[in-house]
Amino acid sequence: MKKVLCFFTLSFCAAFVFAQNVKPYVVDLNKFPAVNDDKTATFDKATKTVTVTANPKLQYGGNKGVYLWLNKIDISSYNIARVKYKAADFGFQFNFDYDDNNTLEWYEKATYCPTYLNEMIIPLDKKYKKLKGISFQGVYLPHQQFVIESVTFEKVANPVKTDIYLSDEPPVVDTATNVSIDANLDAWDFVKNIGAGLNYQIFEDYPQLLDIGVDIRPNMFSRPTKAQIHFMKESGLNAIRLQTNPGHGKILDKNYRLAPRFIKNIKQVVDWCIEEDMYVILCGPFAEYVTNDNFKKRMEWEDPHYAAYYVNEKDKKESERFLKAVWEQYAKAFNNSYDEHLIFEFFNEPSDMLHEHGWNPKDDCAVCKKDYAILNEYNQLLVDTIRSTGGNNANRFVLINGIWSKWETVTNKNFKMPKDKAKHKLIATYHDYSMGGSAAGDYTDFYKNSVKESIDKRFAALDKAFFSKHIPVLIGEVGQTRRTPILERIKWIKYLTAQASKPNRSCAAVLHNDNALVDDGHFFSGYYDSWKLKWYDKEFVDTLIYGIQGKEFPLSAEFIKKNEVKVESLAGKNLLQEPVVRTGKVNWDNNYKIRSDAFYLSTPPKYKIEFEIEKTGADPFLRFAYIDINYNWHDTYNTNMLKIMKVKGGVVAADGLIKVQSNTVILSIDENLATEFANGHAVFLNGQNIIIKSMKVVE
């Protein structure tokens, strides 16, 4: 045994001596170009500062940077790269460009260098003997700076990558006793005083393959500052909703121990808000990303830093362990230093993402009924968890969500408010996108009668489920894409807040603000620019702020005139962007969509739709359908639509398809059907062996 031990000792010493005998290769940073090819990044040789100013037209700015050509240097004598740097606000990517490395994925070449370290050791890939170059890239921000002090290639005895999760910091525990929460403070009166808030997503981490450790995730927002919070307060906001997602890279181990640095980052923003006398909603993890490909890869890799909860029976036990661990740590970190200005919200839009009805549960589905029961149990578990930590958390106000945070689910008979030892401290919450929300969804450009009716319907349900029982409601997210004309958005938010602020109701509302400053059609467009400390469409924001207080924000006559929406008649115009070609058998999922907004205020009370069609094969068929305001599907097969819609130039077959008999097919639309089209979500075209050349409204 002693001989074996001596052998390994001598071997290690020999390796150590060999490593020491290999002289490090020092990269000459002065050879970095002063500016990259597309002029989105520069390198200052005097200060060794990389400045990235990415393309502002891109949704996330891109990950531009500077590249240094190393002329395929031989790296076979080295086993690590050592990067020394300084990064103040956000970290950056260091990338190897190996010779003939086409088999590597981008995240296998890239290493994130976090702000809380100043040196990274990255092992070299043994498969490659030569290195074409290295690069330093920003991380999807419109502006970023960091300093590169040195880069060396070395031979070391133990080539291990720097563990960016390694931490010897103790858990964050709030031991103060300086403030208290009045046990007699009623949630009804409390919510009435909150007013309007902003959904601030700086801690909303999503799954990604680039491991950023416990840094604040770059997401197009600048790093949070005290000045930003002051700006929000000065703008009239009285609350901030902090979405957090600790399961995506902020966990230290399999026991779901949260990184102290992550908690401290949140705590700093909360403290700034409290200093401004603002309310803070601390919102817990998401469920929606469990189907994300990046998240699934993390699970395949058994990454201990990634976790989530599932609203289903199969994963219930582990989900409860995760949720309880997160909220025990949150509750211990945020307790007696915080009075009623800090509010807890257990999760964001909880849903069974692995079930077909995850986003839209059905009352007649056994799985959905079980999901309701499971979420009820999660809510009860977490109320009990935070109450058990005592102190101010014994009386902390708590927001309670239904499935997907929808008004339909929080008012559903299967939803149950949890029991609570504290009296009148629970607040129901839901998210309101009654005009559709993001440009990626079924948003509308108009404040239609159907939108008003939808708002009336949800408040009638909220009256019955909560207001009549002296339970307040906080609208945790409310928003609408800036693609919708601003006066239409203002009409909508004005009516919504007028309903919310009625004397027999207790409500507050939080504006959902996306991180997208440029509207590319896939997300909400941001109202708040954290880089420039400015608002976009401030009149809309002010209408919300005033409205939730039961007041009306005065719009100038000039503003109204400038933004008045004028709708031209559709009569005689082709509604198709291009010919709709459908060859072979009908593909029921391949529908051509026309948004219902096209028919709103642009058509007469009743009219005809005329199709010009070219038949391209045997059995040519046309399919015509629409989705109404309640998301119900209608076509000539499963509804009585034909009883009120006459067809000329074709015959309706048993499967609901219209057999095309002429080059012109005409549908007669009466007043009721015209109203359905205009107030609904979309009209759809499909077919078989036809080319739809045009679709026109004919008076």
Side-chain angles (χ1 to χ4, degrees), residues 277-506:
D277 195 29
M278 297 180 76
Y279 295 93
V280 185
I281 299 165
L282 179 58
C283 180
F286 290 55
E288 65 188 83
Y289 290 120
V290 296
T291 58
N292 179 279
D293 289 339
N294 294 344
F295 182 81
K296 288 190 284 187
K297 279 191 177 183
R298 291 287 183 178
M299 294 299 99
E300 291 171 7
W301 298 341
E302 297 184 351
D303 188 331
H305 310 301
Y306 271 71
Y309 69 94
Y310 300 77
V311 184
N312 65 37
E313 185 65 33
K314 174 178 174 289
D315 301 290
K316 176 185 169 187
K317 185 175 181 180
E318 193 60 30
S319 294
E320 287 179 333
R321 194 170 81 88
F322 168 66
L323 288 168
K324 185 174 182 181
V326 167
W327 277 102
E328 276 184 340
Q329 292 172 83
Y330 276 179
K332 289 177 181 178
F334 297 90
N335 197 336
N336 289 337
S337 290
Y338 304 94
D339 63 10
E340 65 274 7
H341 282 80
L342 179 64
I343 305 161
F344 287 163
E345 181 181 8
F346 298 138
F347 16 55
N348 180 73
E349 298 185 350
S351 56
D352 184 355
M353 290 299 298
L354 304 183
H355 181 49
E356 61 179 323
H357 304 148
W359 291 109
N360 191 25
K362 308 291 184 183
D363 283 346
D364 58 355
C365 172
V367 175
C368 292
K369 288 181 180 179
K370 186 63 178 176
D371 289 345
Y372 271 107
I374 291 170
L375 182 58
N376 291 339
E377 291 179 44
Y378 289 172
N379 278 325
Q380 187 64 61
L381 170 69
L382 297 179
V383 166
D384 294 342
T385 296
I386 65 164
R387 296 296 184 229
S388 70
T389 61
N392 284 352
N393 290 336
N395 290 296
R396 179 85 51 207
F397 288 104
V398 180
L399 300 182
I400 305 298
N401 272 285
I403 293 177
W404 195 28
S405 303
K406 299 179 71 173
W407 71 267
E408 296 97 330
T409 62
V410 80
T411 60
N412 188 280
K413 62 183 179 181
N414 294 303
F415 170 85
K416 306 295 181 186
M417 288 288 279
K419 296 178 181 178
D420 191 10
K421 294 178 181 178
K423 189 176 181 181
H424 301 310
K425 302 296 182 182
L426 301 184
I427 304 162
T429 186
Y430 82 99
H431 295 173
D432 197 308
Y433 295 106
S434 41
M435 279 191 77
S438 75
D442 291 316
Y443 77 101
T444 176
D445 281 335
F446 303 101
Y447 172 61
K448 306 174 182 179
N449 287 336
S450 55
V451 174
K452 178 179 177 296
E453 291 168 4
S454 173
I455 294 170
D456 291 341
K457 184 177 181 180
R458 67 193 61 200
F459 273 99
L462 293 169
D463 279 337
K464 182 178 179 181
F466 301 112
F467 296 132
S468 63
K469 300 174 183 177
H470 198 70
I471 300 173
V473 175
L474 191 143
I475 306 174
E477 291 182 16
V478 61
Q480 173 68 358
T481 175
R482 281 171 36 221
R483 286 190 170 199
T484 294
I486 187 169
L487 273 185
E488 296 299 306
R489 277 179 280 144
I490 285 175
K491 292 176 187 176
W492 161 67
I493 202 66
K494 184 177 178 180
Y495 186 76
L496 177 67
T497 53
Q499 298 308 301
S501 60
K502 282 187 174 181
N504 62 323
R505 294 168 179 158
S506 175

Side-chain angles (χ1 to χ4, degrees), residues 60 97 105 252 305 373 382 468 499 560 590:
Y60 290 104
D97 185 13
E105 298 289 348
L252 296 182
H305 310 301
L382 297 179
S468 63
Q499 298 308 301
I560 294 172
N590 187 24

